Amino acid sequence: MSELTLETAQAILASTLRAARTRGFKPLSVVVYDARGAIKAAASEDGTSLKRMEIAMGKAQGALAMGLGSRALHKMATDRPHFIAGVTHAVGGFMVPVPGGVLIKDSQGHLLGAVGVSGDTSDNDEIAAAGGIEAAGLTFDAGA
Amino acid sequence: MSELTLETAQAILASTLRAARTRGFKPLSVVVYDARGAIKAAASEDGTSLKRMEIAMGKAQGALAMGLGSRALHKMATDRPHFIAGVTHAVGGFMVPVPGGVLIKDSQGHLLGAVGVSGDTSDNDEIAAAGGIEAAGLTFDAGA
Amino acid sequence: MSELTLETAQAILASTLRAARTRGFKPLSVVVYDARGAIKAAASEDGTSLKRMEIAMGKAQGALAMGLGSRALHKMATDRPHFIAGVTHAVGGFMVPVPGGVLIKDSQGHLLGAVGVSGDTSDNDEIAAAGGIEAAGLTFDAGA
Amino acid sequence: MSELTLETAQAILASTLRAARTRGFKPLSVVVYDARGAIKAAASEDGTSLKRMEIAMGKAQGALAMGLGSRALHKMATDRPHFIAGVTHAVGGFMVPVPGGVLIKDSQGHLLGAVGVSGDTSDNDEIAAAGGIEAAGLTFDAGA
């Protein structure tokens, strides 16, 4: 397992928020997990709703749980809803299968962690996460 | 964050029940939360079923969690059932995505809390909540 | 099962809050359940902490669960902590075994419901609940 | 209810980590909640264990739930373990009653949120949180 340092996680967090601000997205909650599923960094912009962060967490945790960007989970949930429903229960309830949970990889393709974003449309949440990871010099896997 | 006082919450509760009685709705459970998601006031009319209040609570908590009247959650649940299923888990299980969870806002549009109503049809539950908030001199957002 | 009407529940709620204000207690959360464990009425005074209502609910639900005022549960928890720990799990987690969960009975001793109070010391919480039930012309059982 | 901005939350987070580094504490997980119990900012230093952040979250959420710095919860848990056990269940399991969950207040004493810290001894965790809040120009309540 490659390690995601706090410094890198904070860089991804900052560039994700910048990516959202440049595009005029709604206020976001953003969380960065390492590959173990431990929170390294998180921030909620002013104006997010009460449980917005929990939704961001669910996207990133779902991505890590199955090793796929959450757009792929979204497709699975559409094609085979019972599968994702079952997995959600099996993993303890923390999986939000829509775009915006994006895997972080290094240049060799090793998994470093995942970013979860919620607050705008799922597509825009994903754009912010992917842009943030890229701006930090890393590779993203959104599950496309 | 603006504060919802007990006095205002009780006024909303009373006018919601009045709105229901004027229209001859079935017995209702009504709950009023502040913007933190803390219960300020609640009442179940005589004749409500065993867990009717929990359903009212789920509507209001869902609205606060996502910052949207629960009619909008209802639409999301119809369009993307896996999304609302995932969010429900992520926020701890307390979300009932049908009309009747209505946000309370002040004249400047600041969020004060939410009303949850259950007992009649979802549409009628929403009518009672919206009418109650309006009669108390505040603005409602049902998620239309 | 005797029925606790909304009118009576609201009278108990109001007299419990009055009992607290006369004595200068800290801001309270008060909930009134019927004998089925359904919420009939609830109020949080201004200034209560985020989960104060949940604690009040746990006291009343514990009292109803075992048919004993929560002071008796407090004694059990002191004498046989493993018993109350086990019961708490068995009933789904909703039991706060300290004074302030007080049974409501009619003049024939039939159970009507329970009041849960939290916000001041457990002893004062119980004083408010017992005073409120008595002022509404009913009989209380605090578990002494 | 006063609002804790992301800017202030990030300042508290940074000064809490600085307070820990100056004193040579072990790697910490730090989380900053607003008064609603929503995460505003969080960071885990390199080397924290798998669920260290969840412990920090439990300290801060316990403090917000009961409106007391978690050192006071620690005393309650020692004096009346069944009470804190019951409350933990009642609030949904998220309460770690040891020092290190510290309330954030403004100069008028209004609650702004809470900081949770875990990673070193509970006493040191609290020192970091209190120092961080103070360095950000705000007032702390550790529950002493």
Side-chain angles (χ1 to χ4, degrees):
Chain A
M1 199 166 40
S2 301
E3 193 177 352
L4 181 72
T5 63
L6 174 57
E7 191 182 349
T8 304
Q10 287 180 326
I12 294 171
L13 182 64
S15 52
T16 298
L17 292 175
R18 261 197 311 274
R21 280 316 107 236
T22 323
R23 288 166 178 82
F25 290 169
K26 289 188 190 160
L28 301 184
S29 286
V30 179
V31 60
V32 183
Y33 286 88
D34 68 16
R36 303 174 300 171
I39 293 175
K40 288 300 289 184
S44 289
E45 294 186 301
D46 301 332
T48 55
S49 65
L50 190 58
K51 299 285 184 183
R52 192 55 61 184
M53 181 61 84
E54 279 77 2
I55 301 173
M57 291 161 73
K59 292 183 184 185
Q61 290 201 24
L64 286 171
M66 300 195 60
L68 296 164
S70 65
R71 182 172 289 274
L73 307 185
H74 176 64
K75 185 168 182 341
M76 285 179 185
T78 308
D79 295 347
R80 295 189 296 163
H82 53 280
F83 176 53
I84 291 296
V87 172
T88 301
H89 280 286
V91 302
F94 236 136
M95 174 177 288
V96 178
V98 297
V102 180
L103 296 176
I104 310 164
K105 299 189 171 178
D106 66 15
S107 52
Q108 281 83 46
H110 296 128
L111 182 69
L112 290 174
V115 177
V117 176
S118 181
D120 203 289
T121 65
S122 294
D123 286 345
N124 284 346
D125 294 341
E126 182 188 283
I127 286 170
I133 294 169
E134 214 165 40
L138 293 159
T139 304
F140 69 88
D141 175 357
Chain B
M1 237 175 333
S2 302
E3 186 170 331
L4 181 72
T5 63
L6 174 56
E7 192 183 348
T8 303
Q10 287 180 326
I12 295 171
L13 182 64
S15 52
T16 299
L17 292 175
R18 262 197 311 274
R21 280 316 108 236
T22 323
R23 289 167 178 81
F25 290 168
K26 289 187 190 163
L28 300 184
S29 286
V30 179
V31 62
V32 184
Y33 286 88
D34 67 17
R36 301 177 300 173
I39 293 177
K40 289 299 290 183
S44 289
E45 295 187 300
D46 302 332
T48 54
S49 64
L50 188 58
K51 297 284 185 185
R52 189 55 61 185
M53 180 61 84
E54 279 75 5
I55 301 173
M57 292 161 72
K59 292 183 184 184
Q61 290 203 23
L64 287 171
M66 299 194 62
L68 296 165
S70 66
R71 183 171 289 275
L73 307 185
H74 176 65
K75 185 169 182 341
M76 284 179 185
T78 309
D79 295 347
R80 295 191 297 166
H82 53 279
F83 175 51
I84 291 296
V87 173
T88 301
H89 280 286
V91 303
F94 236 135
M95 174 176 286
V96 178
V98 297
V102 180
L103 296 177
I104 310 165
K105 298 190 171 177
D106 67 16
S107 51
Q108 281 85 46
H110 296 129
L111 183 69
L112 291 173
V115 177
V117 176
S118 182
D120 203 289
T121 64
S122 293
D123 286 346
N124 284 345
D125 293 342
E126 183 188 283
I127 287 170
I133 294 168
E134 215 166 38
L138 293 160
T139 305
F140 69 87
D141 176 356
Chain C
M1 198 167 40
S2 302
E3 194 179 348
L4 181 72
T5 63
L6 174 57
E7 191 183 349
T8 303
Q10 286 180 326
I12 294 171
L13 182 65
S15 51
T16 298
L17 292 175
R18 264 198 309 276
R21 280 316 110 235
T22 323
R23 288 167 179 81
F25 291 168
K26 288 186 191 161
L28 301 183
S29 287
V30 179
V31 61
V32 184
Y33 286 89
D34 68 16
R36 302 175 301 172
I39 293 176
K40 289 299 289 183
S44 288
E45 296 188 299
D46 301 332
T48 54
S49 65
L50 189 59
K51 299 284 185 183
R52 192 53 63 182
M53 180 61 83
E54 279 76 4
I55 301 174
M57 291 162 73
K59 292 183 184 185
Q61 289 202 24
L64 286 170
M66 300 195 61
L68 296 164
S70 67
R71 183 171 289 274
L73 307 185
H74 176 65
K75 186 170 182 337
M76 284 179 185
T78 310
D79 295 348
R80 294 189 297 164
H82 53 281
F83 176 54
I84 291 296
V87 172
T88 301
H89 280 285
V91 303
F94 235 136
M95 173 176 288
V96 178
V98 298
V102 179
L103 297 177
I104 311 164
K105 299 189 171 178
D106 67 15
S107 52
Q108 281 84 46
H110 296 129
L111 182 69
L112 290 174
V115 177
V117 177
S118 182
D120 203 288
T121 66
S122 293
D123 286 347
N124 284 346
D125 294 341
E126 182 188 284
I127 287 170
I133 295 168
E134 214 164 42
L138 293 160
T139 303
F140 69 86
D141 175 356
Chain D
M1 233 173 337
S2 302
E3 186 168 332
L4 182 72
T5 63
L6 174 58
E7 190 182 349
T8 304
Q10 287 179 328
I12 294 172
L13 182 65
S15 52
T16 298
L17 292 175
R18 263 197 310 273
R21 278 319 107 236
T22 323
R23 288 166 179 82
F25 291 168
K26 289 185 191 162
L28 300 184
S29 286
V30 179
V31 61
V32 184
Y33 285 90
D34 67 17
R36 302 176 300 172
I39 293 176
K40 289 300 291 183
S44 288
E45 295 186 301
D46 301 332
T48 55
S49 63
L50 188 59
K51 298 283 184 183
R52 188 56 61 186
M53 180 60 83
E54 279 76 4
I55 301 174
M57 291 161 73
K59 292 183 182 184
Q61 289 204 22
L64 287 171
M66 300 196 60
L68 296 165
S70 67
R71 183 171 288 274
L73 307 185
H74 177 65
K75 185 170 182 339
M76 285 179 185
T78 309
D79 295 347
R80 295 190 297 166
H82 53 280
F83 175 51
I84 291 297
V87 172
T88 301
H89 280 286
V91 303
F94 235 135
M95 174 177 288
V96 178
V98 298
V102 180
L103 297 177
I104 310 165
K105 299 188 171 179
D106 67 16
S107 52
Q108 281 85 46
H110 295 129
L111 183 68
L112 290 174
V115 177
V117 176
S118 182
D120 203 288
T121 66
S122 293
D123 286 346
N124 284 346
D125 293 341
E126 183 188 283
I127 287 169
I133 294 169
E134 215 164 39
L138 293 159
T139 304
F140 69 87
D141 175 357

